[in-house]
Amino acid sequence: MIVPLGMTIYFSTIRYQLLYPDRSGFNGWSNYEFFVTDPAFWPAILNTLILVGSVLAITVVFGILFALLLNRPFRGRGLARVMLISPFFIMPTVNALVWKNMMMNPIYGLFAVISGALGLEPIDWLSDYPLASIVIIVSWQWIPFAFLIFLTSLQSQDQEQLEAAVLDGAGSFSRFRHFTLPHLARSIAIVILIQTIFHLAIFAEIFVTTAGGPGNQSTNLAFLIFAQALQGFDVGVASAGGVIAIILANIVAIFLIRIIGKNLAT
Amino acid sequence: MNELQKKNLSNNLLTVTAWVCACLMFFPIFWMVLTSFKTELQAIAVPPKLVFKPTLENFFLIQERTSYTRYAWSSIVTSVGGTLLAMLIAIPAAYAMAFHPGRQTKGILLWMLSTKMLPAVGVLMPVYLICQKFGLLDTKIALVVIFALINLPIIMMMLFNYFREIPGEILEAARMDGATVGREVTQIVMPLSRGGIASTVLLSIVLLWNESFWSLNLTSSDAGTLVALVASFSSPEGLFWAKVSAVSTLACAPIVVLGWLTQKQLVQGLSFGAIK
């Protein structure tokens, strides 16, 4: 990994345009300047943050909810659990296509059919709310991940403590608030850190559904870099973008590494 | 209503809620599979048809028109090949780290894991250009190598954790009997952690099968994986929902089943060992 990383940093400081191979030489900070002053840059950063933030909120809330629901014995729990985690194993491109066509298509999609049946105007999800649509698609895929981690964590919770709380007359909400939630704190932190790292670089879902559009309404940082690199053929600028993406991810990774490190020691 | 009845009622309510949630989450998958057995006209019927005469036509059409098997073969070769290559490196490395730890072992492992946290797009250009220089664009070899490298950290970490569970005394006894390092690894460590190695392999295959960033950027027609085949339907012509569902069902079914089998390892592997 070191070699490509070094090359990225090197490329980010030189002139390197695949369409004009004769232009070369040291370029200093100007690739960065070009990337950062691109009118698409700040929207892309904002989109990335909205995307990561909303998906995190949705997956954590539903992950905890589903984990609580499935953490009690009932008939067919194994099957329900398998159904809940299945979306995670669906290929991102399949996931995106299924939602784009069969759910969100403004004429034949299920959402349109349902809102039609209710007498509402159907919504053209991907053109009118591109970012929200992608949030839904990505959340659907990642709720199972949060769910699995929370369920694993719930199963290691001290049951006697909870029973004692019941005897003391604590209601189910206050039990959740004072015992379960603190117990989950560590796994919530881990879910947030890991998903942030993965979602900073969401690519396939955007590639298949909106291709960053309309305009650049759903362009995130990863997609912007892709567009610069393989559509604009500008290696230098794309590399500068890559370095920025790496720095962003590293800010999160530092905290994650600390938690993992502690775990390795014990 | 007495206390017990109340409790029963709320228990039943919770169970029903759990099933509703499970069904809602699973619904898009169910719908996709259902659509794959419809004709194209039935697939876009409004209101949607729930009762219809299933047809296998789409699966045959896919086979004829897109050479599905070639893409499937690519997926199999690259995910299995990448996994095996990574195992070849990871088993000796994890052995060394687990049984002959140095002061830097933990640091090295953390460093390896941290590379997994690097956004792939950050190294897109160099990898692309390296592949181009060596004429490896759109080849399975390139994907196998990249897949092996991107999964190596997780595989290392999981094997390391499994190997550490083996008591060191057993290895010492073997050493007393004059076993070489190679025999230690192949005849003692590997058989003892058979289960761990198997689940690591499965998890790695699942992750690689669905890997999309590199497949989409480095391959097109020759080494395209199923991920790329499905993506090629994103700007289609004509009626295609039933066909795309058929392709998707075929592409996902084997790996979803494998995924169910690896639930436990998934938690450990994807949380980088932070949750076991």
Side-chain angles (χ1 to χ4, degrees):
Chain A
M1 278 314 252
I2 290 283
V3 175
L5 181 60
M7 284 170 75
T8 297
I9 295 174
Y10 168 65
F11 286 156
S12 74
T13 62
I14 60 171
R15 281 194 201 91
Y16 197 160
Q17 245 275 13
L18 291 179
L19 292 182
Y20 308 99
D22 48 317
R23 293 187 201 162
S24 61
F26 187 67
N27 212 3
W29 290 101
S30 62
N31 283 329
Y32 288 90
E33 213 180 299
F34 186 86
F35 190 79
V36 171
T37 52
D38 184 330
F41 176 73
W42 287 110
I45 291 281
L46 191 66
N47 286 340
T48 308
L49 293 180
I50 294 174
L51 200 62
V52 173
S54 338
V55 172
L56 274 181
I58 294 172
T59 49
V60 168
V61 169
F62 281 96
I64 292 180
L65 199 74
F66 292 172
L68 288 173
L69 281 172
L70 272 270
N71 191 33
R72 359 177 330 276
F74 62 85
R75 216 190 266 178
R77 182 165 74 150
L79 179 63
R81 182 181 145 131
V82 160
M83 285 166 78
L84 272 176
I85 60 167
S86 298
F88 195 72
F89 303 116
I90 300 293
M91 242 172 233
T93 47
V94 167
N95 167 11
L97 268 188
V98 167
W99 281 88
K100 177 186 180 183
N101 295 307
M102 285 171 252
M103 300 291 146
M104 292 172 169
N105 183 293
I107 302 166
Y108 307 111
L110 266 187
F111 287 179
V113 171
I114 292 171
S115 54
L118 296 173
L120 302 169
E121 196 68 15
I123 299 167
D124 188 354
W125 284 90
L126 283 165
S127 328
D128 294 343
Y129 305 99
L131 204 54
S133 310
I134 290 170
V135 168
I136 295 175
I137 295 172
V138 176
S139 300
W140 178 68
Q141 178 141 51
W142 282 84
I143 287 172
F145 172 75
F147 159 72
L148 258 186
I149 288 200
F150 293 144
L151 190 64
T152 311
S153 168
L154 279 182
Q155 280 164 354
S156 70
Q157 195 179 9
D158 187 357
Q159 290 304 316
E160 283 174 19
Q161 201 184 28
L162 280 179
E163 278 157 25
V166 176
L167 290 180
D168 287 345
S172 45
F173 181 74
S174 88
R175 257 176 307 168
F176 173 74
R177 166 88 187 68
H178 294 288
F179 293 106
T180 309
L181 206 54
H183 176 77
L184 285 178
R186 204 178 97 95
S187 17
I188 294 177
I190 290 168
V191 166
I192 289 180
L193 292 172
I194 291 171
Q195 288 203 30
T196 307
I197 288 169
F198 282 121
H199 297 339
L200 278 175
I202 285 176
F203 177 76
E205 288 84 350
I206 298 178
F207 180 83
V208 172
T209 52
T210 64
N216 48 33
Q217 282 182 43
S218 59
T219 299
N220 70 350
L221 193 57
F223 198 84
L224 184 66
I225 297 169
F226 158 80
Q228 288 283 5
L230 296 190
Q231 293 175 347
F233 299 107
D234 197 328
V235 181
V237 172
S239 299
V243 173
I244 293 174
I246 291 170
I247 292 171
L248 275 180
N250 272 4
I251 297 173
V252 187
I254 288 169
F255 293 101
L256 184 58
I257 289 278
R258 265 194 208 150
I259 297 184
I260 299 169
K262 265 187 211 144
N263 216 44
L264 272 183
T266 52
Chain B
M1 211 192 285
N2 63 32
E3 209 46 36
L4 196 69
Q5 275 173 319
K6 229 187 210 169
K7 202 160 178 239
N8 258 334
L9 183 72
S10 80
N11 252 336
N12 286 340
L13 264 178
L14 285 176
T15 303
V16 171
T17 320
W19 275 111
V20 170
C21 292
C23 291
L24 279 178
M25 284 295 281
F26 194 73
F27 183 77
I29 301 173
F30 164 77
W31 199 244
M32 171 183 92
V33 176
L34 197 71
T35 308
S36 70
F37 291 107
K38 294 180 177 177
T39 63
E40 291 296 356
L41 277 175
Q42 286 166 342
I44 58 162
V46 179
K49 279 198 163 70
L50 273 173
V51 185
F52 58 91
K53 196 165 154 273
T55 166
L56 285 174
E57 179 194 355
N58 300 306
F59 292 93
F60 292 118
L61 276 177
I62 286 300
Q63 190 49 45
E64 270 168 39
R65 290 200 199 156
T66 65
S67 51
Y68 170 84
T69 36
R70 200 157 48 93
Y71 288 93
W73 179 240
S74 257
S75 271
I76 294 171
V77 168
T78 51
S79 61
V80 174
T83 300
L84 291 183
L85 181 59
M87 292 302 272
L88 216 58
I89 306 168
I91 290 180
Y95 162 81
M97 283 176 148
F99 298 112
H100 307 282
R103 262 191 315 164
Q104 298 303 326
T105 299
K106 192 179 140 192
I108 294 172
L109 200 57
L110 281 180
W111 162 251
M112 289 189 67
L113 283 175
S114 74
T115 62
K116 185 77 195 161
M117 303 172 193
L118 200 75
V121 72
V123 289
L124 168 63
M125 265 354 277
V127 172
Y128 188 87
L129 292 171
I130 290 172
C131 289
Q132 198 184 37
K133 279 262 154 62
F134 289 96
L136 288 174
L137 276 182
D138 201 12
T139 60
K140 295 189 192 77
I141 299 172
L143 269 196
V144 166
V145 173
I146 288 171
F147 278 6
L149 289 178
I150 60 176
N151 258 13
L152 196 55
I154 287 185
I155 292 180
M156 280 281 308
M157 187 266 304
M158 291 184 67
L159 288 181
F160 176 72
N161 282 337
Y162 287 123
F163 285 179
R164 273 205 313 186
E165 286 166 15
I166 300 173
E169 291 85 23
I170 298 181
L171 291 183
E172 254 161 52
R175 240 167 275 155
M176 296 282 227
D177 290 344
T180 58
V181 172
R183 291 193 60 174
E184 251 180 70
V185 176
T186 51
Q187 300 194 345
I188 299 170
V189 175
M190 284 173 67
L192 278 176
S193 47
R194 211 168 30 216
I197 291 179
S199 45
T200 309
V201 166
L202 282 186
L203 177 70
S204 166
I205 292 175
V206 170
L207 292 179
L208 291 182
W209 187 274
N210 288 342
E211 201 287 328
S212 347
F213 185 78
W214 295 111
S215 318
L216 288 177
N217 279 315
L218 295 182
T219 68
S220 50
S221 57
D222 284 345
T225 60
L226 287 172
V227 168
L229 172 65
V230 173
S232 71
F233 278 90
S234 62
S235 47
E237 284 142 25
L239 290 175
F240 71 107
W241 283 16
K243 278 183 221 68
V244 90
S245 297
V247 170
S248 305
T249 305
L250 286 176
C252 293
I255 229 59
V256 169
V257 175
L258 268 192
W260 290 339
L261 300 176
T262 55
Q263 290 178 43
K264 270 246 164 62
Q265 287 69 42
L266 187 80
V267 171
Q268 201 204 345
L270 278 178
S271 69
F272 302 106
I275 288 178
K276 284 180 200 163

